[in-house]
Amino acid sequence: MAKNTPTLNCPTCKKPIEWNEKFPFRPFCSERCKLIDLGEWASEGHKIPGEPAFDDVLSEELDNSKTRH
């Protein structure tokens, strides 16, 4: 690996990679690892802690006539 190129570990498989064009899926080492991570977010395997933006119980009370941009 080049001395001036930053390196990091793939978030999925932990394989060390360089932050350059040799790894077009960075910060992932491959498209496979990128898709595995996407699947974790989609299935809610990964979550960001915090309160919901709105209460699902009251969501039907939201004014649907107003469009959000």
Side-chain angles (χ1 to χ4, degrees), residues 33-51:
C33 282
K34 177 182 155 185
L35 293 174
I36 289 170
D37 185 75
L38 178 61
E40 283 295 313
W41 283 103
S43 67
E44 296 186 358
H46 292 318
K47 295 180 182 181
I48 298 174
E51 295 298 318

Side-chain angles (χ1 to χ4, degrees), residues 6 8-9 12-14 17 25 27-28 41 44-45 50 58 60 62 64 66-68:
L8 63 142
N9 292 332
T12 303
C13 72
K14 309 301 183 215
I17 66 165
F25 299 104
F28 304 98
W41 283 103
E44 296 186 358
L58 302 175
E60 62 270 353
L62 295 175
N64 291 332
K66 295 180 183 177
T67 57
R68 294 166 57 181

